[in-house]
Amino acid sequence: MTRAAAALLSAILVCPLTLHPTLAQAAQDNSAAKPLTVEAIFAHGPLIGHPPEGLTWSPDGKHLTYLDGGELIDLDPDTGKPHVFVSRAKLASLTGAAGSETDRDHRERYKMASYLWAPDSAHLLFDSNGRLWLYDLKTGTGVQIGFTGAASGDDPKFSPNGETLSFVRDHGLSVLRLKEPGLPAIAVAQSPNATMLNGEVDWVYEEELETRSNYFWSPDSKSLAYLQMNESEVPEYPITDWIPTHAKVDGQRFPQPGDPNPDVRVGVVGATGGKTVWIKLPMHPGQDYIPRFGWVDRKTLWVETVTRDHKHRDLYFADAATGQSHPVLQLTDDKFIDDNYDVSVGYGSIVLTNWTDGHNHLYLYKYDESNPATASATLERQLTKGEFEVGEVYGVDHAGKMVHYASNEGNLLEQKLWQVSFAGERKQLTDGAGTHEGNFAPLGGGFVDKQSTRMDPPTLRLCQSAEKCNVFWTTRALEAYHLHAPEQLEVKAHDGTTLYGTLLLPDGATSPATIPLIVNPYGGPGPQEVANRWGDGLLFD
């Protein structure tokens, strides 16, 4: 499908519909079905149950943990057998009371982790509404080591050597020395006011650029690179919160067309504080974006910039000590750079996705690893090619020269998991109808396959390889309802583009009839809503 063909419908508006007589037979076949009511769908949590949450691999790849029923479960990657890692009683003592509905929604919407593995794979950090607990797996004890003051968006991280913990507090960056217990947190990049965000992610970047973090540790644990966002010129948009008894209005910094964007720049500060070194980039203040950045090595940063008109996407390497930068890679599009901003840099290679040939595909670039200060990137090869789109890139192993990703190759309405080597050798990792989502071990080897179809809720499998997978979560909660599938529709646009839709007709009719049509037209050049995957909207949208 070309980029022009990416405008997809989730329903097609036509005249009032005449109910087909064959639906009467379907109603008779379902006469013994359990009635699907609004109360059944919403009164007691998700009708399909609660699939595992917070599915996370330990850094050494020996543990796969997830939250289930108030317990932390450990799934042995070798045997696939689960056991309780942290009991309900211990977890309750660490988590405390639930945060506000706003914070709970924020954490869920933007996939904010409630716990993290330490680099030594022997400790866990639990983030309970800003209270940070360090849990020792050997002794089974937890100690509160800090407080961020925020129930969401505090973004705690371990330094690579595991000796320091960083987090966002009061719109700036603070650190805790874990080997010096009892010492207060040190503000290393303090914010002067609420409109100056140092390392914090604002709404525009979080919602529109899918930015999940705005600061990163250097590989040697001695420095932090962070994005500073000056929002003082961004207009506020009033949002009414109707949930409490007494409604209130919150102000959200929200640039509408023509308004200033946040003024952004990347800085580097030492792990113990000190003066920030600002990276010098040729940007238009209050206009252009820095959607992604990170470390090339302990002395060098990479920074990605995108112009406001989305016609230029540039990658720079910068000296962390001086702030001097130079362009390494420059991509242009005379229409629009699509919103696939992820970049992976390391070991002399750069992997990114781009629409150069009309489809979103993976590209491999090379640079001089021995001298990144003056390096430029050259295209090594296009790793994927064909009439399909690469979706999420789950991980790039630069040392092992391997990329794990998802794509709709073979069926535009479905998704499978794949791997491709830096030599361009591809392998399909999952089979079976529907949509597959992945979660790969950090050191290669095992992965989790989350598979669903339009009529089948997710089933989760732990796979040691593409050929060896074991189910560890599934549900039969919907079997009693005898649900019937919506009809799949296809129409041609004026330019020949195929537009996909679904049509769900009411059950229980006994004769031909004209019925009203509820239309959901949400879609566009990116979010394809019509796919063979499970969505709770099938039950009640």
Side-chain angles (χ1 to χ4, degrees):
M1 192 189 318
T2 63
R3 185 187 313 187
L8 300 153
L9 297 177
S10 59
I12 298 177
L13 182 60
V14 294
C15 299
L17 298 172
T18 299
L19 196 62
H20 197 277
T22 56
L23 287 179
Q25 181 63 43
Q28 294 174 7
D29 294 341
N30 289 336
S31 59
K34 185 177 180 179
L36 183 63
T37 64
V38 173
E39 181 181 9
I41 297 171
F42 294 108
H44 307 291
L47 190 59
I48 67 169
H50 293 275
E53 299 176 355
L55 205 64
T56 307
W57 292 89
S58 61
D60 61 9
K62 295 180 179 179
H63 302 277
L64 176 63
T65 52
Y66 60 90
L67 295 167
D68 185 16
E71 297 176 322
L72 187 68
I73 305 298
D74 180 26
L75 200 64
D76 189 311
D78 294 326
T79 65
K81 294 182 179 180
H83 69 274
V84 176
F85 215 35
V86 182
S87 68
R88 183 179 289 105
K90 287 186 177 180
L91 203 57
S93 67
L94 301 177
T95 55
S100 68
E101 183 162 346
T102 299
D103 285 313
R104 291 198 302 272
D105 175 77
H106 204 62
R107 297 191 74 93
E108 180 179 355
R109 181 175 180 85
Y110 301 117
K111 305 296 186 293
M112 297 178 184
S114 57
Y115 73 96
L116 305 170
W117 278 93
D120 62 4
S121 295
H123 296 80
L124 292 166
L125 180 78
F126 290 93
D127 184 358
S128 175
N129 301 317
R131 290 176 172 81
L132 304 177
W133 294 81
L134 188 64
Y135 187 84
D136 189 319
L137 292 170
K138 184 177 181 179
T139 64
T141 57
V143 178
Q144 184 175 340
I145 59 173
F147 180 61
T148 69
S152 64
D154 48 1
D155 196 14
K157 294 181 184 181
F158 288 98
S159 60
N161 63 13
E163 297 180 0
T164 308
L165 184 73
S166 55
F167 52 86
V168 175
R169 181 163 70 183
D170 295 330
H171 312 295
L173 285 178
S174 294
V175 299
L176 277 170
R177 306 292 293 180
L178 298 179
K179 289 195 171 183
E180 300 173 6
L183 290 181
I186 302 171
V188 296
Q190 196 167 4
S191 168
N193 53 62
T195 63
M196 188 71 75
L197 311 183
N198 288 336
E200 184 179 357
V201 186
D202 82 330
W203 181 88
V204 173
Y205 274 51
E206 205 163 41
E207 182 71 19
E208 303 298 344
L209 304 183
E210 297 186 354
T211 300
R212 295 295 174 260
S213 185
N214 262 343
Y215 79 93
F216 302 96
W217 280 96
S218 62
D220 60 5
S221 301
K222 294 182 179 180
S223 303
L224 293 126
Y226 66 94
L227 189 72
Q228 183 181 83
M229 311 187 77
N230 184 347
E231 296 199 299
S232 59
E233 299 300 316
V234 181
E236 278 194 326
Y237 187 89
I239 299 177
T240 304
D241 182 359
W242 300 103
I243 294 175
T245 302
H246 302 285
K248 62 177 183 177
V249 176
D250 296 323
Q252 175 66 67
R253 297 283 175 174
F254 179 76
Q256 299 191 55
D259 288 337
N261 277 327
D263 191 2
V264 294
R265 57 179 178 171
V266 174
V268 179
V269 66
T272 57
K275 184 178 179 180
T276 292
V277 175
W278 298 108
I279 305 302
K280 303 171 181 64
L281 296 167
M283 295 180 61
H284 295 93
Q287 298 294 322
D288 297 342
Y289 310 95
I290 300 178
R292 305 288 187 269
F293 64 99
W295 291 87
V296 178
D297 55 35
R298 63 186 180 87
K299 296 181 178 180
T300 313
L301 274 76
W302 63 266
V303 182
E304 179 187 41
T305 66
V306 175
T307 56
R308 184 163 188 166
D309 62 8
H310 273 69
K311 293 184 178 182
H312 302 276
R313 177 189 182 192
D314 299 332
L315 188 69
Y316 295 86
F317 282 1
D319 188 311
T322 67
Q324 296 297 324
S325 68
H326 71 280
V328 175
L329 179 62
Q330 295 178 306
L331 303 173
T332 61
D333 192 302
D334 59 359
K335 293 184 175 63
F336 194 84
I337 294 283
D338 289 88
D339 60 347
N340 297 292
Y341 306 112
D342 287 347
V343 180
S344 185
V345 181
Y347 293 89
S349 60
I350 300 170
V351 176
L352 52 79
T353 59
N354 195 21
W355 279 73
T356 300
D357 69 353
H359 298 273
N360 193 49
H361 280 301
L362 285 161
Y363 293 83
L364 173 67
Y365 293 83
K366 292 288 188 178
Y367 65 88
D368 184 359
E369 182 183 2
S370 65
N371 189 20
T374 60
S376 60
T378 57
L379 179 63
E380 181 78 2
R381 65 176 47 88
Q382 184 173 341
L383 296 177
T384 60
K385 189 179 299 184
E387 298 290 316
F388 61 90
E389 313 299 331
V390 169
E392 184 171 355
V393 178
Y394 296 107
V396 179
D397 180 358
H398 290 271
K401 302 183 184 303
M402 189 70 68
V403 184
H404 292 112
Y405 67 97
S407 86
N408 61 3
E409 182 174 354
N411 189 330
L412 297 181
L413 301 181
E414 299 192 344
Q415 177 176 278
K416 303 292 191 296
L417 302 182
W418 292 76
Q419 70 178 29
V420 60
S421 71
F422 282 12
E425 299 168 342
R426 299 189 305 120
K427 180 181 180 180
Q428 184 175 325
L429 300 177
T430 57
D431 202 358
T435 296
H436 297 253
E437 300 171 74
N439 187 326
F440 288 80
L443 301 178
F447 65 94
V448 174
D449 173 23
K450 181 180 179 181
Q451 179 188 10
S452 70
T453 71
R454 188 172 288 145
M455 299 303 296
D456 299 306
T459 291
L460 278 75
R461 297 176 179 85
L462 177 59
C463 302
Q464 291 177 312
S465 65
E467 297 77 23
K468 188 177 180 181
C469 296
N470 295 298
V471 174
F472 68 91
W473 192 91
T474 189
T475 180
R476 300 178 63 182
L478 300 181
E479 290 183 0
Y481 295 97
H482 298 183
L483 302 178
H484 67 267
E487 293 184 27
Q488 179 72 48
L489 304 175
E490 295 183 11
V491 297
K492 293 290 186 181
H494 66 87
D495 62 353
T497 299
T498 300
L499 303 178
Y500 299 96
T502 58
L503 179 64
L504 182 61
L505 296 171
D507 198 9
T510 58
S511 62
T514 298
I515 58 174
L517 180 64
I518 301 174
V519 180
N520 174 13
Y522 191 88
Q528 179 173 331
E529 292 300 301
V530 177
N532 189 16
R533 64 170 177 257
W534 174 258
D536 290 336
L538 174 72
L539 303 174
F540 189 91
D541 192 356

